[in-house]
Amino acid sequence: MKVKRIVSIFAVLLLCTCLITPISTDAAARVRVRTVKGVTSSYNGRMSYCYVNGQKRKLTKYPIFKKAGAYMGPVGAILKNSKLKVKATAKGDKLTLTYGPNTVIVREDSRTAVTNGQKSTMGAPVVHGTYTATGKRRWIVPLNSVCTRLGINYKLSNGKIYISGTTQSSSNNTTGGTTTTKPSTTSSKEKIKIVIDAGHGGSDSGASGNGMAEKNLTLAIVLAAKRSFDNDSRFQVSYTRTADTYPSLSQRANLANNRDADMFLCVHINSASASARGTETLWSKGRNSATKKNGLTSKELATAMQKAAVAATGFKNRGLVDRPNLYVLRHTKMPACLIEYGFISNKTEAARMKANKSVYGKALYNAVVNLMKKEGRY
């Protein structure tokens, strides 16, 4: 009887422990890494494999994970020991990667990359640390950023990563040399494709007030953005108009769809009463999932553009507005949003918008760059 009582008490205690102990449902989906400085961090976005030159690379012991919006992967398993055979040399906190004519130097805990002597900023800082689940120390880099700089093709599609390039093996090359792709910053298929729409135009002046027409303000902002995009080889930008013309709404949406754009940005100016004020960005909540592309959603795009526009204008933050019936938001097939910078009907805001068109255009460009860095695509 005494033994039975002890067993019963133990069973009750075990049941209570189970009831009060939280069960982690996503622990297996997270990746824990301890840096050489002894700091342990936990990351989501776990991937246990990727594809390199068509070959599935299993990464069970050292999986890919997401850091600062960028997918991070171990250099050895993905780039060095795969068919790509990227040369990797580590010394102290510095890692040097060589692929054909391209050399990229990165450092642990840094976003800075030096590619063929030129500095640039990657989507996330490099991690040099130990996967705590297996005790394996690895150099872990933002894959898209590093592949782009080495001249290796990187693609994220349907939640899977595909990496491809020329096999670096001199033994298979009768000339004794190697061939390689050029850095993808110069390749159109690897560029970030954007369509930017200056609202209204031609016979459609849009809103008017305080001696100004919306069509002129929107065009000026877009042309200011164009000056920055024209000097950045990472982007392939198409414009619905660059003069006082009127493309139809279907032509604007079709341009974005036909170009298979990564995002669609529409520039507008608001109007209401003389006291109305503030900046807002319109998007379609109902199409957020349908328009998701390369991991980016319309809401994420709208949020980034709204934050940048508010910072540039200094106007009241009116937030995001769900406008599912707007033609260009309903018919585009990629992340899309429409920025309303301020109210042309408000004398103060109208004057400030007239004086700061170039500032808004530059801010739009910077917002896209920062968003693409966060996504690991820049």
Side-chain angles (χ1 to χ4, degrees):
M1 288 295 293
K2 190 174 183 179
V3 173
K4 288 183 178 180
R5 181 180 297 175
I6 293 174
V7 171
S8 298
I9 293 173
F10 178 76
V12 171
L13 289 174
L14 181 62
L15 177 60
C16 291
T17 301
C18 292
L19 289 173
I20 65 174
T21 302
I23 300 174
S24 177
T25 59
D26 64 345
R30 299 186 69 82
V31 180
R32 290 175 62 80
V33 178
R34 183 174 65 255
T35 67
V36 292
K37 296 179 181 179
V39 178
T40 299
S41 300
S42 180
Y43 303 98
N44 59 15
R46 180 190 185 103
M47 289 188 190
S48 297
Y49 65 90
C50 68
Y51 293 91
V52 180
N53 278 8
Q55 180 187 52
K56 187 175 183 179
R57 301 289 297 176
K58 294 183 178 180
L59 305 168
T60 307
K61 293 182 179 180
Y62 17 84
I64 292 169
F65 56 85
K66 208 169 186 181
K67 177 181 175 69
Y71 282 104
M72 310 286 293
V75 167
I78 297 175
L79 301 178
K80 181 180 179 181
N81 299 324
S82 67
K83 290 182 179 181
L84 295 175
K85 298 190 181 303
V86 173
K87 182 179 179 181
T89 305
K91 185 177 181 180
D93 68 344
K94 182 174 73 174
L95 175 68
T96 302
L97 302 170
T98 303
Y99 182 78
N102 302 314
T103 297
V104 177
I105 300 172
V106 298
R107 294 181 183 275
E108 64 183 57
D109 297 329
S110 174
R111 290 176 181 259
T112 301
V114 180
T115 306
N116 300 332
Q118 299 295 315
K119 285 186 178 182
S120 60
T121 302
M122 299 185 294
V126 171
V127 174
H128 183 205
T130 302
Y131 285 90
T132 59
T134 57
K136 302 287 186 180
R137 178 177 291 178
R138 293 291 184 269
W139 281 91
I140 311 165
V141 300
L143 290 171
N144 191 16
S145 296
V146 168
C147 286
T148 296
R149 287 159 176 77
L150 287 173
I152 297 170
N153 297 321
Y154 170 99
K155 181 180 180 182
L156 174 65
S157 179
N158 296 321
K160 298 181 178 62
I161 291 175
Y162 299 87
I163 296 171
S164 62
T166 303
T167 301
Q168 300 294 292
S169 176
S170 59
S171 62
N172 293 330
N173 193 320
T174 57
T175 65
T178 59
T179 59
T180 184
T181 54
K182 293 180 180 180
S184 60
T185 53
T186 61
S187 171
S188 62
K189 71 176 182 179
E190 294 300 319
K191 292 178 184 289
I192 301 166
K193 293 180 287 186
I194 306 172
V195 169
I196 302 180
D197 175 34
H200 306 286
S203 60
D204 177 12
S205 65
S208 60
N210 293 295
M212 288 178 285
E214 180 180 5
K215 68 173 184 177
N216 297 329
L217 285 175
T218 61
L219 181 60
I221 293 170
V222 168
L223 291 179
K226 184 177 184 298
R227 289 193 288 273
S228 292
F229 281 113
D230 284 349
N231 293 318
D232 194 329
S233 62
R234 291 174 176 83
F235 296 102
Q236 179 178 306
V237 186
S238 301
Y239 302 87
T240 60
R241 69 183 185 99
T242 55
D244 189 17
T245 58
Y246 179 75
S248 67
L249 295 179
S250 61
Q251 287 175 322
R252 298 173 201 243
N254 289 341
L255 177 64
N257 294 333
N258 293 337
R259 296 290 167 87
D260 190 27
D262 294 302
M263 66 179 72
F264 177 81
L265 298 171
C266 198
V267 173
H268 277 256
I269 306 296
N270 229 331
S271 182
S273 66
S275 60
R277 62 190 180 92
T279 300
E280 63 187 29
T281 298
L282 316 183
W283 69 298
S284 176
K285 182 177 180 180
R287 302 197 70 237
N288 195 50
S289 297
T291 56
K292 183 176 181 179
K293 188 171 183 181
N294 293 325
L296 181 68
T297 66
S298 290
K299 185 177 183 180
E300 290 169 332
L301 176 64
T303 299
M305 294 303 108
Q306 172 69 7
K307 181 179 179 181
V310 169
T313 62
F315 299 159
K316 175 185 176 181
N317 186 351
R318 296 169 63 96
L320 304 188
V321 180
D322 182 20
R323 290 289 297 276
N325 294 323
L326 287 181
Y327 189 96
V328 292
L329 299 182
R330 194 169 75 247
H331 289 89
T332 44
K333 300 177 181 178
M334 69 290 302
C337 68
L338 188 152
I339 309 162
E340 298 271 15
Y341 280 88
F343 284 83
I344 201 170
S345 53
N346 182 304
K347 184 176 181 179
T348 300
E349 290 194 353
R352 288 175 63 179
M353 287 189 289
K354 182 180 180 180
N356 291 288
K357 301 182 291 291
S358 295
V359 174
Y360 302 164
K362 182 67 174 180
L364 187 150
Y365 162 77
N366 287 333
V368 172
V369 170
N370 291 335
L371 178 61
M372 290 297 94
K373 285 180 178 179
K374 181 180 177 182
E375 294 291 313
R377 297 192 60 198
Y378 187 91

